[in-house]
């Protein structure tokens, strides 16, 4: 039996690989390579993605500075929340968001487990006391997600 890296699960900020077993001979691999004729299209798409990401960063810089200042003025801690995630082909990358929760909110989650409003591994609360006032606005407007555009440039 052959094991292929299939998916990942997160547990306390650590990435744990899970494996899928291929019992059937000749099964398709989980990773693929681009045929030569598609490399040109990939290069064009990558260029457009990078130009768009740069434009979003440059044009939004004054607004991002305002968000950063509001986060710093209303709560202690860093402006950005950074987490290790797993991307395409199992490659790890840094995930960036504007911080919308108080520092040490992951530790406080254990205290709130009984109030979880969702089944499974996801923890959700409609009114989460760990979210800052600025964080509520950022989440409602999805502005907390904007720093992810930095990953396009990598």
């Amino acid at each position: 039996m052959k094991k292929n890296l299939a998916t990942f699960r997160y547990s306390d900020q650590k990435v744990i690989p899970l494996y899928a077993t291929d019992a059937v001979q000749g099964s398709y691999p989980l990773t693929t390579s681009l045929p030569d004729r598609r490399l040109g299209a990939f290069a064009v798409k990558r260029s457009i993605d990078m130009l768009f990401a740069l434009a979003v960063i440059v044009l939004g810089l004054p607004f991002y500075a305002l968000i950063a200042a509001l986060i710093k003025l209303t709560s202690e801690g860093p402006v950005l929340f950074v987490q290790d995630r797993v991307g395409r082909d199992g490659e790890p990358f840094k995930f960036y968001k504007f911080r919308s929760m108080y520092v040490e909110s992951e530790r406080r989650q254990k205290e709130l487990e009984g109030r979880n409003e969702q089944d499974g591994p996801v923890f959700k609360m409609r009114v989460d006391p760990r979210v800052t006032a600025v964080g509520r606005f950022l989440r409602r407007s999805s502005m907390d997600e904007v720093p992810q555009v930095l990953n396009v440039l990598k």
Side-chain angles (χ1 to χ4, degrees):
M1 285 201 213
K2 179 179 149 189
K3 290 186 177 181
N4 287 329
L5 191 56
T7 186
F8 294 84
R9 191 177 285 159
Y10 299 95
S11 172
D12 295 324
Q13 300 292 326
K14 294 179 184 142
V15 179
I16 302 168
L18 300 175
Y19 295 93
T21 305
D22 290 335
V24 180
Q25 293 243 348
S27 62
Y28 293 102
L30 293 172
T31 59
T32 60
S33 60
L34 292 173
D36 290 338
R37 62 181 168 18
R38 298 223 27 231
L39 286 176
F42 178 78
V44 169
K45 182 191 180 309
R46 178 75 179 136
S47 299
I48 291 170
D49 288 347
M50 290 187 74
L51 286 172
F52 181 75
L54 278 171
V56 167
I57 290 170
V58 170
L59 295 174
L61 209 52
F63 189 64
Y64 309 146
L66 176 65
I67 291 173
L70 288 171
I71 291 171
K72 275 304 217 185
L73 289 171
T74 58
S75 64
E76 294 181 8
V79 170
L80 293 178
F81 170 76
V82 182
Q83 186 178 51
D84 290 326
R85 297 271 178 109
V86 178
R88 185 182 315 159
D89 298 328
E91 288 294 317
F93 70 96
K94 297 285 185 193
F95 173 80
Y96 301 99
K97 288 177 77 167
F98 283 121
R99 185 173 53 81
S100 61
M101 291 186 160
Y102 291 103
V103 176
E104 297 193 23
S105 62
E106 290 168 346
R107 180 189 55 78
R108 289 189 61 206
Q109 178 179 330
K110 290 173 182 38
E111 301 167 11
L112 301 169
E113 286 293 336
R115 296 171 55 191
N116 187 4
E117 297 172 0
Q118 202 153 15
D119 293 330
V122 178
F123 181 85
K124 281 281 195 198
M125 290 177 62
R126 271 185 289 261
V127 181
D128 193 332
R130 302 170 301 157
V131 178
T132 65
V134 172
R136 275 190 286 282
F137 166 75
L138 291 174
R139 286 180 171 200
R140 270 194 309 252
S141 64
S142 296
M143 291 303 297
D144 61 328
E145 310 282 346
V146 170
Q148 291 179 48
V149 76
L150 294 172
N151 288 320
V152 174
L153 299 177
K154 290 184 178 184

